[in-house]
Amino acid sequence: MTILIRGGTVVNHDFETRADVLIDGGKIVAVGPKLEAPAGAEIIDAGGAYVMPGGIDPHTHLDMPFMGTSSSDDFETGTRAALAGGTTMVVDFCLPGPGQSLLAAYQEWRHKGEKAACDYGLHMAITWWDKQVFDEMEAVVKTYGINTFKHFLAYKGALMVNDDELFHSFQRCAGLGALPLVHAENGDIVFRLQQHYIDLGVTGPEGHSYSRPPEVEGEATNRAIMIADMAGSPLYVVHTSCKESHEAIARARAAGKRVYGEPLIQHLVLDDSEYQSKDWDYAARRVMSPPFRDKSHQASLWAGLQSGSLQVVATDHCAFTTEQKRYGLGDFRKIPNGTGGLEDRLPVLWAAGVNTGRLTREEFVAVTSTNIARILNVYPRKGRIAPGSDADVIVWDPSAEKTVSAAKQFSAIDYNVFEGYACKGLPAVTISGGKIAFKAGEMRAEKGDGQYVARDPFPAAHVANATWKDLTRPRGVERIEVTP
Ligand code: DUC
Ligand code: ZN
Ligand code: ZN
Ligand code: ZN
C-alpha cells in the first residue's frame, strides 16, 4: 500500500517542519516538501494537522493472569484501543509462573500476541530466581529479542524478588547488555500496612491507597538505584508516581547514573481523592499500584517531563471489569490492581500537556514515542518520521474534540477512569505498519495485523553507569564475569 500524507507539519522530537510523508511497503520512504504522488497512492490531506511518530506504550498487561483473574483486554482489544488513541506499538510483559522456564513464558506470550492489531514487543519478568533463570536469560536476550527484564519489589509472596536476587539479576543484565526494569514499592512494608488497615477495619478501596504511601515507592526506588549502580547496570523505573521517586531518579542522573523514570498518564492527571468516593465500584475501578497520589505530586512529575529527568509517559494498561474489581468487596487486598489508559494516553497528555503549555509538541513526541524507542534500542526504526523508519504514523488534528466516554471506547471494560475528560487534539488517522489502521473514528486494523518487534541488546560497555566501581573485582583485576 502506498500512502501520501500531504500538507501536514511533521513533528519529531528534535524538529518540526512542513513536509509531506510518503509511505510504501510498510516503511516511510520520503519526507519532504511537495512530494509527487505515485500512481494509485492513497492521499491523506493533513492540512492543519501534525504528522508524528505513532505512540509507543512500553507498559501494558494484556491478557495477564493476575490476582485470581486475567486482565480483560487481550492483545486484540488492547491493541485496537491503542490504535484508536494513536499508539502503534505496545510492549507487554512475559510473566513466568513459579518455577516456569523463561522460554515457556516467552512462547506463551508470543502466542497471546498473535492477536495483536499493532506491533508489539515483550519484556521478561524475573519472578523467581535460581541457576536456571540465570542461564535462560542469555537466550532471552540473544534469541528472543528481549533486552529488558522486569523486577517486582512489591507483591510479597507472589511476584516479589529480594535484594540478593535483584543484585544478581542486575549483574546478569549488565553482562548481557540488557536493561533491568523495576516496579519500585517496598513489598514488605506494603504487606504490613495492608494488615494494619484491615485490623483497623479499613476494608474499602481507600485502604489500598493508605497502605501504599509515596514513602514505600521512594524507598524502593532509591534502593533499586543503588543496587543497579553496584551491579553496573542501568535502571528503568516503571510507573514513577511520586515526588520521592522522581527525586531519587533526578539525583541519580545528576550523579552520572543511567536511570530512567516513567510516569503514567493516570498519575499525571488523576489524584487520590477518587478513593474517598462513597461509591465502592467507582473507587475500586481506580485501584492500581502505585495508587493515585495526592495532587501535590503531579507538579513534580510534570517538571520531570519538562526537564528531562523523567523520560516516558506510559499507561500500565491492565484493565479489569467492574465485576472483576468486585472480587475485592470486603477486602481491598483482593481488588485486582490495574486501570486502563491505552486509548486515552495521547489525547489526555495532549490536552493536559500541550494545550496547557506544559509540553512542547516536540516534547510530546519525545515522551510518547522517541525516548522509549531509544531506551529500548528500536530507534530510529520506531519513534521517528524519517525515510527508512517503520510507517507507524499519526495524523494529529489539534482542533478535533472529544469527551472521554466508556460507551465509545474500544477497550473491553465497562468504565473509563478518564470518563468526562475533555480532549482537544486527537488522531484523525493512525497508520500502523504502512496501513491505515484507524481513520475518522473507523477501526480498520484487524486482529493479527501487528508484528513482533525483536530488540537487540546494548553493547555491554554502554550499560555501565559512570559511577560504577566494580565491587566484585579485587584491585588490578579485569571485570569478572558473573556466575550463577
Ligand atoms: N500494577 C497494577 O496496577 N497492575 C498490574 C501490575 C502493577 O504493578
Ligand atoms: Zn500460537
Ligand atoms: Zn508495576
Ligand atoms: Zn505494570
Side-chain angles (χ1 to χ4, degrees), residues 402-417:
K402 82 162 183 187
T403 301
V404 175
S405 154
K408 295 191 194 126
Q409 73 191 5
F410 287 87
S411 171
I413 55 170
D414 55 320
Y415 61 91
N416 186 314
V417 296

Side-chain angles (χ1 to χ4, degrees), residues 70-82:
S70 239
S71 60
S72 162
D73 274 317
D74 63 10
F75 277 79
E76 180 183 356
T77 61
T79 54
R80 280 157 65 96

